[in-house]
């Protein structure tokens, strides 16, 4: 079933229950395929209930720092392979560069895509790591200032 406005395809239901918005059906693993930008007046939520998860492992600060520092944030201009954004500037990460570092964050379909939500736990762990390191450095700094003050008063 599809809904058209003149010659423009607005909404289409494809095989396997995929909903296409502004796009003709293509081979995809996604349940929703949008040709263009999407907007919501609410928020997008992702399942996160502990009862749905097994093999939970805490991300350590050092591991998070290593992974985040291995990424290469970049800017680019979209080429003709992305007709909707062709010629527009973009910023982010390159899927092929992320793949060896966080392979589960790369979604493989016709084109590679990134699940940017996977980066948030690493960012949080890295911030926690940095806050801990800052606290240690502040304590050391305070101790050194006290020793310097004592030394100067002699």
């Amino acid at each position: 079933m599809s809904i058209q406005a003149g010659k423009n395809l607005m909404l289409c239901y494809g095989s396997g229950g995929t909903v296409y918005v502004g796009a003709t059906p293509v081979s995809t693993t996604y349940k929703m395929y949008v040709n263009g930008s999407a907007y919501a007046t609410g928020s997008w939520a992702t399942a996160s209930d502990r009862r749905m998860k097994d093999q939970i492992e805490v991300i350590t600060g050092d591991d998070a720092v290593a992974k985040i520092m291995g990424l290469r944030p970049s800017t680019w201009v979209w080429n003709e392979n992305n007709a909707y954004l062709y010629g527009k500037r973009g910023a982010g990460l390159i899927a092929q560069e992320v793949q060896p570092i966080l392979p589960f964050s790369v979604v493989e379909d016709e084109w590679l895509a990134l699940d940017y939500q996977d980066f948030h736990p690493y960012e949080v762990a890295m911030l926690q790591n940095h806050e801990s390191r800052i606290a240690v450095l502040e304590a050391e700094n305070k101790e050194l200032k006290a020793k310097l003050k004592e030394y100067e008063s002699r």
Side-chain angles (χ1 to χ4, degrees):
M1 180 176 104
S2 62
I3 300 170
Q4 288 187 256
K7 292 183 179 181
N8 297 323
L9 181 63
M10 304 303 287
L11 185 68
C12 178
Y13 297 100
S15 63
T18 300
V19 176
Y20 298 88
V21 180
T24 55
V26 295
S27 176
T28 184
T29 58
Y30 300 110
K31 287 298 178 187
M32 179 179 246
Y33 187 97
V34 179
N35 182 22
S37 299
Y39 173 83
T41 58
S43 62
W44 296 93
T46 302
S48 185
D49 193 303
R50 175 185 293 275
R51 296 170 295 175
M52 301 170 77
K53 301 172 181 179
D54 292 324
Q55 301 176 22
I56 297 170
E57 298 176 19
V58 174
I59 298 169
T60 66
D62 291 337
D63 184 45
V65 170
K67 286 191 177 354
I68 295 294
M69 294 306 291
L71 300 174
R72 191 174 67 113
S74 305
T75 63
W76 58 81
V77 174
W78 290 102
N79 66 30
E80 64 279 353
N81 287 319
N82 187 333
Y84 181 77
L85 293 173
Y86 177 67
K88 294 182 180 176
R89 182 151 291 282
L93 301 167
I94 308 297
Q96 287 87 341
E97 295 175 4
V98 172
Q99 215 161 19
I101 299 166
L102 293 169
F104 56 86
S105 299
V106 178
V107 180
E108 295 192 40
D109 205 59
E110 179 184 358
W111 301 96
L112 296 181
L114 289 175
D115 186 348
Y116 277 96
Q117 291 187 99
D118 286 341
F119 297 97
H120 299 316
Y122 289 91
E123 294 162 346
V124 169
M126 189 168 88
L127 286 170
Q128 291 170 336
N129 179 288
H130 287 168
E131 286 301 314
S132 296
R133 293 175 75 185
I134 289 169
V136 167
L137 292 172
E138 286 176 338
E140 288 177 2
N141 190 34
K142 184 177 180 180
E143 182 182 325
L144 289 171
K145 282 182 177 181
K147 285 181 180 180
L148 179 62
K149 188 174 182 180
E150 180 185 322
Y151 176 78
E152 289 176 337
S153 66
R154 290 184 196 174

